[in-house]
């Protein structure tokens, strides 16, 4: 009998690289950077007179509507020193000041955002986000034996524009950089004299930049 016919060997299937895209419909991030202010916090009052630069700690998380687009929430907490005018008040002797009291400034922003990822299956993933939400800033002191506000402002972060790059170290963790700017309008101020409604005609900027870690980038 003739030997069996096996035919020509079939070539192996082409190699398909494993996707490095998101493996979860959720994402979260932690960021650390700086926050810097510009413009007028109220009419004819520069924001630098009230608040100095701050260290910015940010949290963000949300749900992917598709591989490119996600809907989420953000929380920013800024910590730093007061601006020039408030700092002079904290250091001035009574009755015109607090007699060298230790004053600090904080800013809190939270709201909703839409995040677009340009290359969701790439090792390097640029992204941008737009959001809006609530903003609150204050200067506090411990001059009176407990923490109390010297002055505070509250209002609306009209628009928050952010962009950055995530580098995926794996499908679970990414490391990257971010930068952005927020446009904020404060509508109320409060000090020892009480609550003062603002006319809402001024918009100041908050510029942020730093590094971030992303879970399920």
């Amino acid at each position: 009998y003739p030997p069996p016919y096996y035919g020509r060997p079939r070539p192996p299937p082409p190699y398909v690289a494993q996707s490095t895209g998101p493996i979860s419909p959720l994402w979260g991030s932690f960021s650390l950077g700086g926050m810097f202010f510009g413009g007028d916090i109220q009419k004819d009052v520069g924001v630098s007179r009230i608040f100095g630069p701050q260290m910015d700690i940010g949290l963000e998380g949300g749900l992917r509507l598709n591989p490119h687009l996600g809907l989420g929430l953000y929380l920013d907490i800024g910590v730093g020193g007061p601006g020039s005018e408030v700092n002079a008040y904290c250091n001035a002797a009574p009755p015109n000041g607090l007699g060298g009291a230790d004053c600090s400034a904080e800013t809190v922003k939270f709201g909703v955002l839409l995040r677009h990822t340009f290359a969701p299956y790439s090792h390097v993933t640029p992204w941008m986000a737009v959001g809006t939400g609530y903003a609150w800033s204050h200067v506090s002191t411990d001059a009176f034996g407990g923490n109390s506000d010297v002055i505070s402002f509250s209002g609306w972060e009209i628009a928050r524009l952010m962009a950055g790059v995530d580098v995926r170290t794996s499908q679970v963790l990414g490391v990257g950089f971010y930068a952005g700017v927020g446009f904020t309008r404060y509508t109320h101020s409060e000090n020892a004299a009480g609550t003062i409604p603002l006319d809402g005609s001024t918009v100041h900027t908050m510029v942020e930049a730093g590094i971030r870690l992303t879970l399920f980038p």
Side-chain angles (χ1 to χ4, degrees), residues 69-97:
L69 188 64
L71 177 64
L73 302 173
Y74 69 88
L75 170 66
D76 273 3
I77 301 174
V79 180
S84 57
E85 189 173 294
V86 175
N87 190 55
Y89 171 75
C90 293
N91 292 326
N96 298 318

Side-chain angles (χ1 to χ4, degrees), residues 143-183:
F144 307 107
N147 192 269
S148 59
D149 283 352
V150 176
I151 189 170
S152 66
F153 294 84
S154 60
W156 177 34
E157 186 173 36
I158 303 169
R160 168 189 175 93
L161 307 176
M162 306 293 291
V165 175
D166 287 334
V167 179
R168 288 190 174 96
T169 59
S170 68
Q171 289 181 294
V172 175
L173 188 65
V175 180
F177 302 91
Y178 75 95
V181 59
F183 301 91

Side-chain angles (χ1 to χ4, degrees), residues 10-217:
R10 302 178 65 179
Y15 174 73
V16 178
Q18 184 178 3
S19 169
T20 58
I23 61 172
S24 169
L26 304 176
W27 91 90
S29 71
F30 169 80
S31 60
L32 182 65
M35 183 186 298
F36 309 91
F37 301 90
D40 286 351
I41 198 167
Q42 64 185 78
K43 188 175 181 180
D44 300 325
V45 178
V47 66
S48 61
R49 294 165 57 181
I50 312 297
F51 299 104
Q54 298 180 2
M55 181 180 70
D56 177 41
I57 301 170
L59 297 173
E60 178 186 303
L63 173 69
R64 287 185 174 88
L65 306 179
N66 59 51
H68 289 275
L69 188 64
L71 177 64
L73 302 173
Y74 69 88
L75 170 66
D76 273 3
I77 301 174
V79 180
S84 57
E85 189 173 294
V86 175
N87 190 55
Y89 171 75
C90 293
N91 292 326
N96 298 318
L98 299 179
D102 183 19
C103 293
S104 62
E106 292 83 32
T107 295
V108 176
K109 302 184 294 176
F110 66 89
V112 297
L113 62 83
L114 279 174
R115 181 175 186 263
H116 178 79
T117 303
F118 289 94
Y121 298 101
S122 174
H123 177 66
V124 179
T125 312
W127 59 269
M128 66 178 298
V130 58
T132 185
Y134 175 80
W136 175 74
S137 298
H138 75 142
V139 176
S140 61
T141 181
D142 57 3
F144 307 107
N147 192 269
S148 59
D149 283 352
V150 176
I151 189 170
S152 66
F153 294 84
S154 60
W156 177 34
E157 186 173 36
I158 303 169
R160 168 189 175 93
L161 307 176
M162 306 293 291
V165 175
D166 287 334
V167 179
R168 288 190 174 96
T169 59
S170 68
Q171 289 181 294
V172 175
L173 188 65
V175 180
F177 302 91
Y178 75 95
V181 59
F183 301 91
T184 303
R185 174 180 291 152
Y186 284 134
T187 56
H188 292 83
S189 175
E190 186 173 352
N191 56 26
T195 301
I196 304 170
L198 305 178
D199 62 8
S201 62
T202 58
V203 175
H204 68 277
T205 58
M206 298 182 183
V207 178
E208 306 172 34
I211 59 174
R212 62 185 246 148
L213 296 175
T214 302
L215 189 65
F216 305 120

